[in-house]
Amino acid sequence: MNILLHGSGNVATHLALAIHKTGHQIVQVYSRTKASAAALGNRLGVPYTHLVDEIMQDADLYIYAVSDDALESLVSLNIAPQAMHVHTAGSVAMDIFKGYKKHYGVLYPLQSLSKDKTVDFQQVPLLLEASDEVVKQALDVLAKEISGQVHHYNTEQRLKIHLAAVFANNFVNHLFHIASDIMESSDIDFNLLKPLIKETIEKISHLSPAEAQTGPAKRNDQKIMKQHMEMLKDQPKLQNLYRELSQMILEQYLHQS
Amino acid sequence: MNILLHGSGNVATHLALAIHKTGHQIVQVYSRTKASAAALGNRLGVPYTHLVDEIMQDADLYIYAVSDDALESLVSLNIAPQAMHVHTAGSVAMDIFKGYKKHYGVLYPLQSLSKDKTVDFQQVPLLLEASDEVVKQALDVLAKEISGQVHHYNTEQRLKIHLAAVFANNFVNHLFHIASDIMESSDIDFNLLKPLIKETIEKISHLSPAEAQTGPAKRNDQKIMKQHMEMLKDQPKLQNLYRELSQMILEQYLHQS
Protein backbone atom coordinates (compact mmCIF):
# COMPACT_ATOMS: atom_id res chain seq x y z
CA MET A 1 0.00 0.00 0.00
CA ASN A 2 0.94 3.61 -0.53
CA ILE A 3 0.58 5.31 2.82
CA LEU A 4 0.35 9.01 3.57
CA LEU A 5 1.26 9.90 7.13
CA HIS A 6 -0.22 12.92 8.89
CA GLY A 7 1.86 13.91 11.90
CA SER A 8 5.45 14.01 13.07
CA GLY A 9 5.17 13.46 16.83
CA ASN A 10 5.95 10.42 18.99
CA VAL A 11 3.31 8.10 17.57
CA ALA A 12 3.85 9.24 13.95
CA THR A 13 7.60 8.73 14.24
CA HIS A 14 7.53 5.29 15.84
CA LEU A 15 4.75 4.10 13.54
CA ALA A 16 6.57 5.40 10.46
CA LEU A 17 9.73 3.58 11.48
CA ALA A 18 7.75 0.37 11.97
CA ILE A 19 5.95 0.73 8.62
CA HIS A 20 9.26 1.48 6.95
CA LYS A 21 10.41 -2.05 7.77
CA THR A 22 7.46 -3.59 5.90
CA GLY A 23 6.89 -3.74 2.14
CA HIS A 24 4.54 -0.76 2.33
CA GLN A 25 5.55 2.69 1.12
CA ILE A 26 5.17 5.92 2.99
CA VAL A 27 4.67 8.22 0.01
CA GLN A 28 4.48 11.51 1.94
CA VAL A 29 4.65 12.98 5.43
CA TYR A 30 2.44 15.95 6.23
CA SER A 31 2.97 18.07 9.34
CA ARG A 32 1.74 21.52 10.24
CA THR A 33 5.18 23.05 10.61
CA LYS A 34 7.83 22.97 7.92
CA ALA A 35 10.61 22.01 10.33
CA SER A 36 8.86 18.99 11.78
CA ALA A 37 7.63 17.80 8.37
CA ALA A 38 11.20 18.05 7.10
CA ALA A 39 12.65 16.32 10.18
CA LEU A 40 10.55 13.18 9.84
CA GLY A 41 10.53 13.26 6.00
CA ASN A 42 14.31 13.40 5.89
CA ARG A 43 14.67 10.75 8.58
CA LEU A 44 12.54 8.39 6.49
CA GLY A 45 13.90 9.61 3.15
CA VAL A 46 10.41 10.34 1.81
CA PRO A 47 8.66 13.46 0.42
CA TYR A 48 7.10 15.78 2.96
CA THR A 49 5.02 18.92 3.09
CA HIS A 50 3.53 21.36 5.57
CA LEU A 51 1.08 22.76 3.02
CA VAL A 52 -2.43 21.33 2.95
CA ASP A 53 -2.71 22.03 -0.79
CA GLU A 54 0.28 19.80 -1.45
CA ILE A 55 -1.06 16.73 0.34
CA MET A 56 -1.09 13.90 -2.21
CA GLN A 57 -4.55 12.76 -3.29
CA ASP A 58 -3.69 9.29 -4.56
CA ALA A 59 -2.47 7.35 -1.53
CA ASP A 60 -4.26 4.12 -0.55
CA LEU A 61 -4.20 4.75 3.17
CA TYR A 62 -4.09 8.01 5.13
CA ILE A 63 -2.86 7.63 8.71
CA TYR A 64 -3.57 10.49 11.12
CA ALA A 65 -1.12 10.39 14.04
CA VAL A 66 -1.85 13.94 15.15
CA SER A 67 -3.34 15.71 18.17
CA ASP A 68 -7.11 15.41 18.54
CA ASP A 69 -7.63 19.07 17.62
CA ALA A 70 -5.56 18.80 14.44
CA LEU A 71 -7.42 15.57 13.63
CA GLU A 72 -10.83 17.22 13.40
CA SER A 73 -9.71 19.91 10.98
CA LEU A 74 -7.61 17.53 8.85
CA VAL A 75 -10.38 14.99 8.47
CA SER A 76 -12.82 17.60 7.20
CA LEU A 77 -10.50 18.60 4.32
CA ASN A 78 -11.61 17.30 0.96
CA ILE A 79 -8.66 14.94 0.48
CA ALA A 80 -9.09 11.53 -1.12
CA PRO A 81 -12.62 10.84 0.17
CA GLN A 82 -12.63 7.43 -1.55
CA ALA A 83 -9.37 6.19 0.05
CA MET A 84 -8.95 4.58 3.50
CA HIS A 85 -8.43 6.89 6.47
CA VAL A 86 -7.43 5.80 9.97
CA HIS A 87 -6.48 7.64 13.11
CA THR A 88 -4.22 6.38 15.91
CA ALA A 89 -5.95 7.89 18.95
CA GLY A 90 -7.07 5.90 21.96
CA SER A 91 -9.86 8.28 22.90
CA VAL A 92 -11.37 9.41 19.60
CA ALA A 93 -14.44 7.65 18.18
CA MET A 94 -14.01 6.07 14.76
CA ASP A 95 -17.04 8.04 13.59
CA ILE A 96 -15.04 11.25 13.48
CA PHE A 97 -14.52 10.31 9.80
CA LYS A 98 -18.23 9.83 9.11
CA GLY A 99 -19.61 12.15 6.42
CA TYR A 100 -16.09 13.03 5.26
CA LYS A 101 -14.63 9.70 4.14
CA LYS A 102 -16.06 6.50 2.71
CA HIS A 103 -13.68 3.94 4.25
CA TYR A 104 -12.19 4.54 7.64
CA GLY A 105 -10.96 3.03 10.84
CA VAL A 106 -8.60 3.16 13.80
CA LEU A 107 -5.11 1.79 14.40
CA TYR A 108 -4.30 2.52 18.06
CA PRO A 109 -0.91 1.46 19.40
CA LEU A 110 -1.47 0.67 23.09
CA GLN A 111 1.92 1.83 24.27
CA SER A 112 3.59 4.85 25.84
CA LEU A 113 5.89 6.23 23.14
CA SER A 114 8.60 8.82 23.70
CA LYS A 115 10.83 10.17 20.95
CA ASP A 116 13.97 9.52 23.00
CA LYS A 117 13.23 5.87 23.56
CA THR A 118 13.22 3.15 20.91
CA VAL A 119 10.38 0.66 21.05
CA ASP A 120 9.99 -2.84 19.64
CA PHE A 121 6.74 -2.49 17.72
CA GLN A 122 6.44 -6.29 17.54
CA GLN A 123 5.54 -6.13 21.25
CA VAL A 124 3.09 -3.22 20.94
CA PRO A 125 -0.58 -4.26 20.94
CA LEU A 126 -2.32 -2.68 17.96
CA LEU A 127 -6.05 -2.15 18.49
CA LEU A 128 -8.01 -1.98 15.25
CA GLU A 129 -11.47 -0.79 14.30
CA ALA A 130 -12.90 -0.56 10.79
CA SER A 131 -15.95 0.92 9.09
CA ASP A 132 -16.24 -2.05 6.72
CA GLU A 133 -14.67 -5.34 5.64
CA VAL A 134 -12.34 -3.71 3.10
CA VAL A 135 -10.71 -1.52 5.74
CA LYS A 136 -10.79 -4.33 8.29
CA GLN A 137 -8.79 -6.67 6.08
CA ALA A 138 -6.35 -4.05 4.84
CA LEU A 139 -5.66 -2.81 8.38
CA ASP A 140 -5.33 -6.33 9.71
CA VAL A 141 -2.71 -7.20 7.09
CA LEU A 142 -0.75 -4.01 7.73
CA ALA A 143 -1.00 -4.32 11.51
CA LYS A 144 0.20 -7.92 11.52
CA GLU A 145 3.28 -6.93 9.53
CA ILE A 146 4.11 -4.40 12.23
CA SER A 147 3.15 -6.17 15.45
CA GLY A 148 2.70 -9.63 16.89
CA GLN A 149 -0.31 -8.44 18.89
CA VAL A 150 -3.25 -7.34 16.77
CA HIS A 151 -6.75 -7.02 18.24
CA HIS A 152 -10.11 -5.73 17.03
CA TYR A 153 -12.16 -3.60 19.43
CA ASN A 154 -15.00 -1.16 18.94
CA THR A 155 -14.82 2.50 19.96
CA GLU A 156 -16.44 1.96 23.36
CA GLN A 157 -14.01 -0.81 24.29
CA ARG A 158 -11.02 1.19 23.05
CA LEU A 159 -12.05 4.17 25.17
CA LYS A 160 -12.21 1.95 28.25
CA ILE A 161 -8.80 0.47 27.46
CA HIS A 162 -7.34 3.93 27.05
CA LEU A 163 -8.80 5.02 30.39
CA ALA A 164 -7.32 1.93 32.07
CA ALA A 165 -4.00 2.69 30.37
CA VAL A 166 -3.95 6.18 31.88
CA PHE A 167 -4.19 4.64 35.36
CA ALA A 168 -1.69 1.85 34.64
CA ASN A 169 0.87 4.04 32.90
CA ASN A 170 0.52 7.83 33.30
CA PHE A 171 -0.65 7.78 36.90
CA VAL A 172 1.75 5.00 37.87
CA ASN A 173 4.61 7.00 36.42
CA HIS A 174 3.46 10.01 38.43
CA LEU A 175 3.56 7.90 41.61
CA PHE A 176 7.18 7.04 40.72
CA HIS A 177 7.77 10.77 40.33
CA ILE A 178 6.33 11.38 43.82
CA ALA A 179 8.43 8.56 45.30
CA SER A 180 11.53 9.98 43.63
CA ASP A 181 10.79 13.46 45.07
CA ILE A 182 10.39 11.99 48.56
CA MET A 183 13.71 10.15 48.25
CA GLU A 184 15.54 13.14 46.83
CA SER A 185 14.22 15.42 49.58
CA SER A 186 16.46 13.35 51.88
CA ASP A 187 19.31 13.05 49.37
CA ILE A 188 18.66 9.35 48.88
CA ASP A 189 19.17 7.83 45.42
CA PHE A 190 15.87 6.90 43.72
CA ASN A 191 17.65 3.83 42.30
CA LEU A 192 17.38 2.23 45.73
CA LEU A 193 13.67 1.69 44.95
CA LYS A 194 14.28 0.01 41.59
CA PRO A 195 14.31 -3.62 42.88
CA LEU A 196 11.00 -2.93 44.66
CA ILE A 197 9.52 -1.37 41.51
CA LYS A 198 10.73 -4.28 39.42
CA GLU A 199 9.10 -6.72 41.86
CA THR A 200 5.84 -4.72 41.80
CA ILE A 201 5.58 -5.50 38.09
CA GLU A 202 7.02 -8.99 38.35
CA LYS A 203 4.33 -9.92 40.87
CA ILE A 204 1.41 -9.15 38.58
CA SER A 205 2.75 -11.56 35.99
CA HIS A 206 1.91 -14.36 38.45
CA LEU A 207 -0.83 -12.84 40.60
CA SER A 208 -3.78 -10.54 39.98
CA PRO A 209 -3.22 -6.99 41.29
CA ALA A 210 -5.83 -7.79 43.95
CA GLU A 211 -3.75 -10.75 45.17
CA ALA A 212 -0.46 -8.85 44.88
CA GLN A 213 -1.48 -6.00 47.19
CA THR A 214 0.65 -5.49 50.32
CA GLY A 215 1.38 -2.56 52.63
CA PRO A 216 0.01 -0.62 55.60
CA ALA A 217 -3.44 0.05 54.07
CA LYS A 218 -3.99 -3.59 53.16
CA ARG A 219 -3.01 -4.57 56.73
CA ASN A 220 -5.11 -1.70 58.12
CA ASP A 221 -2.02 -0.55 60.02
CA GLN A 222 -3.40 2.75 61.33
CA LYS A 223 -0.26 3.61 63.24
CA ILE A 224 2.00 3.63 60.17
CA MET A 225 -0.59 5.41 58.05
CA LYS A 226 -0.88 8.15 60.69
CA GLN A 227 2.90 8.45 60.78
CA HIS A 228 3.04 8.79 56.98
CA MET A 229 0.29 11.39 57.00
CA GLU A 230 2.25 13.32 59.62
CA MET A 231 5.40 13.14 57.45
CA LEU A 232 3.43 14.67 54.56
CA LYS A 233 1.87 17.47 56.59
CA ASP A 234 3.66 20.19 54.63
CA GLN A 235 2.40 18.75 51.33
CA PRO A 236 -1.41 18.81 51.64
CA LYS A 237 -1.99 17.49 48.11
CA LEU A 238 0.26 14.49 48.68
CA GLN A 239 -1.32 13.97 52.08
CA ASN A 240 -4.72 13.95 50.46
CA LEU A 241 -3.60 11.49 47.80
CA TYR A 242 -2.08 9.23 50.45
CA ARG A 243 -5.32 9.30 52.46
CA GLU A 244 -7.55 8.55 49.48
CA LEU A 245 -5.47 5.73 48.04
CA SER A 246 -5.08 4.13 51.47
CA GLN A 247 -8.81 4.42 52.08
CA MET A 248 -9.57 2.78 48.73
CA ILE A 249 -7.21 -0.12 49.46
CA LEU A 250 -8.58 -0.45 53.00
CA GLU A 251 -12.17 -0.66 51.80
CA GLN A 252 -11.23 -3.16 49.10
CA TYR A 253 -9.77 -5.60 51.61
CA LEU A 254 -12.26 -4.99 54.41
CA HIS A 255 -14.98 -5.98 51.97
CA GLN A 256 -13.07 -9.05 50.90
CA SER A 257 -12.13 -10.33 54.34
CA MET B 1 26.00 -16.46 65.00
CA ASN B 2 23.13 -18.13 66.80
CA ILE B 3 19.98 -16.33 65.74
CA LEU B 4 16.57 -16.38 67.37
CA LEU B 5 13.75 -15.37 65.06
CA HIS B 6 10.58 -13.74 66.32
CA GLY B 7 7.76 -14.00 63.81
CA SER B 8 6.40 -16.35 61.17
CA GLY B 9 4.87 -14.01 58.58
CA ASN B 10 6.08 -12.99 55.11
CA VAL B 11 9.23 -11.15 56.19
CA ALA B 12 10.15 -13.73 58.85
CA THR B 13 9.74 -16.60 56.40
CA HIS B 14 11.73 -15.09 53.53
CA LEU B 15 14.44 -13.82 55.87
CA ALA B 16 14.69 -17.20 57.60
CA LEU B 17 15.09 -18.97 54.26
CA ALA B 18 17.83 -16.51 53.27
CA ILE B 19 19.66 -16.87 56.60
CA HIS B 20 19.34 -20.63 56.32
CA LYS B 21 21.62 -20.53 53.27
CA THR B 22 24.42 -18.84 55.23
CA GLY B 23 26.66 -20.35 57.90
CA HIS B 24 24.54 -18.83 60.65
CA GLN B 25 22.18 -20.89 62.77
CA ILE B 26 18.56 -20.14 63.50
CA VAL B 27 18.36 -21.71 66.95
CA GLN B 28 14.66 -21.09 67.56
CA VAL B 29 11.54 -19.61 66.00
CA TYR B 30 9.05 -17.86 68.27
CA SER B 31 5.55 -17.01 67.12
CA ARG B 32 2.42 -16.09 69.08
CA THR B 33 0.35 -19.00 67.80
CA LYS B 34 1.40 -22.61 68.09
CA ALA B 35 0.39 -23.44 64.51
CA SER B 36 2.41 -20.70 62.86
CA ALA B 37 5.44 -21.31 65.11
CA ALA B 38 5.28 -24.99 64.16
CA ALA B 39 4.78 -24.25 60.46
CA LEU B 40 7.94 -22.16 60.11
CA GLY B 41 9.94 -24.20 62.64
CA ASN B 42 9.19 -27.41 60.78
CA ARG B 43 9.87 -25.82 57.41
CA LEU B 44 13.32 -24.77 58.62
CA GLY B 45 13.88 -27.89 60.72
CA VAL B 46 14.63 -25.88 63.87
CA PRO B 47 13.12 -25.69 67.38
CA TYR B 48 10.13 -23.45 67.83
CA THR B 49 7.85 -22.17 70.54
CA HIS B 50 4.75 -20.03 71.05
CA LEU B 51 5.42 -19.62 74.80
CA VAL B 52 7.26 -16.52 75.93
CA ASP B 53 8.75 -18.41 78.88
CA GLU B 54 10.41 -20.87 76.50
CA ILE B 55 12.20 -18.26 74.39
CA MET B 56 15.91 -19.12 74.52
CA GLN B 57 18.04 -16.65 76.46
CA ASP B 58 21.45 -17.46 74.95
CA ALA B 59 21.19 -16.49 71.28
CA ASP B 60 23.65 -13.95 69.86
CA LEU B 61 21.10 -12.10 67.76
CA TYR B 62 17.34 -11.71 68.19
CA ILE B 63 15.51 -10.73 64.99
CA TYR B 64 11.99 -9.34 65.34
CA ALA B 65 10.05 -9.78 62.09
CA VAL B 66 6.66 -9.19 63.66
CA SER B 67 3.84 -6.66 63.48
CA ASP B 68 4.55 -3.29 65.07
CA ASP B 69 2.14 -3.98 67.94
CA ALA B 70 3.70 -7.33 68.75
CA LEU B 71 7.13 -5.69 68.52
CA GLU B 72 6.49 -3.28 71.39
CA SER B 73 5.38 -5.96 73.80
CA LEU B 74 8.11 -8.43 72.79
CA VAL B 75 10.92 -5.90 73.13
CA SER B 76 9.89 -5.03 76.68
CA LEU B 77 10.20 -8.66 77.85
CA ASN B 78 13.27 -9.33 79.93
CA ILE B 79 14.96 -11.60 77.39
CA ALA B 80 18.72 -11.52 76.81
CA PRO B 81 19.20 -7.81 77.49
CA GLN B 82 22.94 -8.14 76.78
CA ALA B 83 22.52 -9.75 73.34
CA MET B 84 21.92 -7.97 70.00
CA HIS B 85 18.33 -7.22 69.04
CA VAL B 86 17.16 -5.97 65.64
CA HIS B 87 13.76 -5.38 64.07
CA THR B 88 12.90 -5.53 60.36
CA ALA B 89 10.31 -2.73 60.14
CA GLY B 90 10.52 0.17 57.69
CA SER B 91 8.56 2.56 59.85
CA VAL B 92 9.67 1.85 63.42
CA ALA B 93 12.43 3.90 65.05
CA MET B 94 15.50 2.00 66.18
CA ASP B 95 15.04 3.54 69.63
CA ILE B 96 12.11 1.26 70.37
CA PHE B 97 14.79 -0.97 71.97
CA LYS B 98 16.21 1.80 74.15
CA GLY B 99 15.99 1.09 77.88
CA TYR B 100 15.27 -2.58 77.23
CA LYS B 101 18.36 -3.81 75.38
CA LYS B 102 22.03 -2.86 75.33
CA HIS B 103 22.88 -3.55 71.67
CA TYR B 104 20.28 -3.06 69.03
CA GLY B 105 19.58 -2.10 65.45
CA VAL B 106 17.46 -2.49 62.33
CA LEU B 107 17.64 -4.81 59.34
CA TYR B 108 14.93 -3.64 56.93
CA PRO B 109 14.47 -5.54 53.66
CA LEU B 110 13.23 -2.96 51.14
CA GLN B 111 11.03 -5.32 49.18
CA SER B 112 7.39 -6.38 48.91
CA LEU B 113 7.31 -9.94 50.18
CA SER B 114 4.39 -12.34 49.77
CA LYS B 115 4.37 -15.88 51.08
CA ASP B 116 3.22 -17.27 47.73
CA LYS B 117 6.06 -15.72 45.78
CA THR B 118 9.73 -16.68 46.05
CA VAL B 119 12.22 -13.83 46.13
CA ASP B 120 15.92 -13.67 45.34
CA PHE B 121 17.26 -12.10 48.54
CA GLN B 122 20.53 -11.28 46.77
CA GLN B 123 18.58 -8.57 44.92
CA VAL B 124 16.78 -7.21 48.00
CA PRO B 125 18.29 -4.00 49.40
CA LEU B 126 18.91 -4.44 53.14
CA LEU B 127 18.84 -1.16 55.06
CA LEU B 128 20.79 -1.34 58.31
CA GLU B 129 20.94 0.83 61.41
CA ALA B 130 22.91 0.09 64.59
CA SER B 131 23.16 1.44 68.11
CA ASP B 132 26.94 0.90 68.21
CA GLU B 133 29.94 -0.41 66.29
CA VAL B 134 29.55 -3.97 67.58
CA VAL B 135 26.04 -4.28 66.18
CA LYS B 136 26.99 -2.37 63.04
CA GLN B 137 29.74 -4.80 62.14
CA ALA B 138 27.82 -7.93 63.07
CA LEU B 139 24.77 -6.81 61.06
CA ASP B 140 26.89 -5.77 58.12
CA VAL B 141 28.56 -9.19 57.95
CA LEU B 142 25.23 -11.02 58.20
CA ALA B 143 23.48 -8.72 55.71
CA LYS B 144 26.23 -9.09 53.11
CA GLU B 145 25.95 -12.87 53.32
CA ILE B 146 22.26 -12.53 52.48
CA SER B 147 22.15 -9.70 49.95
CA GLY B 148 24.31 -7.96 47.38
CA GLN B 149 22.79 -4.61 48.32
CA VAL B 150 23.54 -3.51 51.86
CA HIS B 151 23.12 0.12 52.96
CA HIS B 152 23.31 2.02 56.24
CA TYR B 153 20.63 4.63 56.93
CA ASN B 154 19.37 6.29 60.09
CA THR B 155 15.78 6.07 61.30
CA GLU B 156 14.69 9.32 59.69
CA GLN B 157 16.03 8.28 56.28
CA ARG B 158 14.52 4.81 56.55
CA LEU B 159 11.11 6.29 57.36
CA LYS B 160 11.30 8.46 54.22
CA ILE B 161 12.34 5.48 52.11
CA HIS B 162 9.46 3.45 53.48
CA LEU B 163 7.01 6.27 52.68
CA ALA B 164 8.39 6.49 49.12
CA ALA B 165 8.09 2.71 48.86
CA VAL B 166 4.39 2.87 49.73
CA PHE B 167 3.83 5.21 46.77
CA ALA B 168 6.08 3.24 44.39
CA ASN B 169 4.76 -0.19 45.32
CA ASN B 170 1.47 -0.35 47.29
CA PHE B 171 -0.21 2.58 45.56
CA VAL B 172 1.14 1.60 42.14
CA ASN B 173 -0.26 -1.89 42.62
CA HIS B 174 -3.61 -0.38 43.56
CA LEU B 175 -3.60 1.62 40.30
CA PHE B 176 -3.05 -1.69 38.48
CA HIS B 177 -6.02 -3.03 40.41
CA ILE B 178 -8.14 -0.07 39.26
CA ALA B 179 -6.98 -0.52 35.65
CA SER B 180 -7.81 -4.21 35.82
CA ASP B 181 -11.32 -3.43 37.16
CA ILE B 182 -11.91 -0.96 34.31
CA MET B 183 -10.82 -3.55 31.74
CA GLU B 184 -12.86 -6.34 33.30
CA SER B 185 -15.97 -4.16 33.45
CA SER B 186 -15.89 -4.40 29.64
CA ASP B 187 -14.81 -8.07 29.58
CA ILE B 188 -11.38 -7.16 28.26
CA ASP B 189 -8.37 -9.18 29.41
CA PHE B 190 -6.10 -7.22 31.78
CA ASN B 191 -3.12 -8.93 30.10
CA LEU B 192 -3.59 -6.57 27.15
CA LEU B 193 -2.07 -3.85 29.37
CA LYS B 194 1.02 -5.87 30.31
CA PRO B 195 3.32 -4.57 27.52
CA LEU B 196 2.38 -1.01 28.51
CA ILE B 197 3.04 -1.73 32.18
CA LYS B 198 6.36 -3.36 31.31
CA GLU B 199 7.35 -0.29 29.31
CA THR B 200 6.32 2.02 32.17
CA ILE B 201 9.00 0.38 34.30
CA GLU B 202 11.48 -0.07 31.47
CA LYS B 203 11.38 3.67 30.79
CA ILE B 204 12.50 4.71 34.25
CA SER B 205 15.62 2.61 33.91
CA HIS B 206 16.77 5.12 31.26
CA LEU B 207 14.85 8.27 32.15
CA SER B 208 13.81 9.97 35.38
CA PRO B 209 10.07 9.61 36.14
CA ALA B 210 9.78 13.35 35.37
CA GLU B 211 11.19 12.78 31.88
CA ALA B 212 9.21 9.59 31.32
CA GLN B 213 5.79 11.19 31.90
CA THR B 214 3.31 11.03 29.00
CA GLY B 215 -0.48 11.17 28.66
CA PRO B 216 -3.44 13.56 28.53
CA ALA B 217 -2.55 15.47 31.74
CA LYS B 218 1.05 16.05 30.66
CA ARG B 219 -0.25 17.36 27.29
CA ASN B 220 -3.00 19.32 29.06
CA ASP B 221 -5.51 17.60 26.80
CA GLN B 222 -8.68 18.90 28.46
CA LYS B 223 -10.98 17.17 26.00
CA ILE B 224 -9.76 13.66 26.78
CA MET B 225 -9.62 14.35 30.51
CA LYS B 226 -13.24 15.54 30.43
CA GLN B 227 -14.21 12.43 28.51
CA HIS B 228 -12.49 10.18 31.06
CA MET B 229 -14.16 12.02 33.94
CA GLU B 230 -17.49 11.48 32.22
CA MET B 231 -16.74 7.75 31.84
CA LEU B 232 -16.11 7.55 35.60
CA LYS B 233 -19.23 9.47 36.61
CA ASP B 234 -20.73 6.44 38.39
CA GLN B 235 -17.56 5.96 40.43
CA PRO B 236 -17.09 9.24 42.30
CA LYS B 237 -14.00 8.04 44.21
CA LEU B 238 -12.23 7.02 41.01
CA GLN B 239 -13.34 10.24 39.37
CA ASN B 240 -11.88 12.18 42.25
CA LEU B 241 -8.61 10.25 42.05
CA TYR B 242 -8.43 10.82 38.29
CA ARG B 243 -9.00 14.56 38.76
CA GLU B 244 -6.37 14.93 41.49
CA LEU B 245 -3.64 12.90 39.80
CA SER B 246 -4.24 14.72 36.50
CA GLN B 247 -4.14 18.07 38.27
CA MET B 248 -0.84 17.17 39.96
CA ILE B 249 0.73 16.13 36.65
CA LEU B 250 -0.66 19.21 34.92
CA GLU B 251 0.81 21.55 37.51
CA GLN B 252 4.15 19.77 37.42
CA TYR B 253 4.55 20.33 33.69
CA LEU B 254 2.99 23.79 33.53
CA HIS B 255 5.60 24.92 36.05
CA GLN B 256 8.38 23.29 34.08
CA SER B 257 7.43 24.60 30.64
Side-chain angles (χ1 to χ4, degrees), chain B residues 102-172:
Chain B
K102 197 173 166 201
H103 302 289
Y104 49 87
V106 179
L107 188 161
Y108 167 50
L110 178 57
Q111 188 49 279
S112 169
L113 304 168
S114 302
K115 268 189 184 160
D116 306 337
K117 168 105 178 48
T118 59
V119 63
D120 176 8
F121 239 86
Q122 275 298 323
Q123 307 298 324
V124 176
L126 292 181
L127 313 193
L128 307 185
E129 188 176 6
S131 64
D132 55 75
E133 274 302 315
V134 177
V135 180
K136 189 177 179 181
Q137 286 182 26
L139 268 191
D140 200 67
V141 167
L142 174 66
K144 283 178 177 159
E145 290 178 53
I146 297 174
S147 165
Q149 295 198 54
V150 174
H151 306 269
H152 293 263
Y153 289 109
N154 63 32
T155 291
E156 198 187 341
Q157 291 170 314
R158 190 178 64 256
L159 260 54
K160 281 279 190 92
I161 294 165
H162 184 232
L163 175 61
V166 167
F167 279 94
N169 169 258
N170 305 150
F171 291 167
V172 160

Side-chain angles (χ1 to χ4, degrees), chain A residues 161-234:
Chain A
I161 294 166
H162 185 232
L163 175 61
V166 167
F167 279 95
N169 169 258
N170 305 148
F171 291 167
V172 161
N173 186 73
H174 185 61
L175 292 186
F176 293 150
H177 193 160
I178 290 171
S180 120
D181 283 348
I182 292 171
M183 300 282 277
E184 277 161 25
S185 74
S186 293
D187 274 326
I188 303 165
D189 189 352
F190 176 60
N191 284 317
L192 187 63
L193 285 180
K194 295 276 173 78
L196 176 66
I197 289 173
K198 209 176 142 198
E199 178 72 6
T200 307
I201 306 312
E202 181 64 24
K203 263 190 180 176
I204 59 163
S205 67
H206 307 287
L207 306 168
S208 72
E211 294 164 329
Q213 192 67 53
T214 57
K218 159 108 191 257
R219 297 193 307 273
N220 193 9
D221 191 330
Q222 293 290 341
K223 202 171 162 184
I224 290 187
M225 288 189 277
K226 250 187 209 161
Q227 181 182 306
H228 284 164
M229 289 290 285
E230 176 66 21
M231 288 166 75
L232 294 169
K233 67 173 188 289
D234 296 332

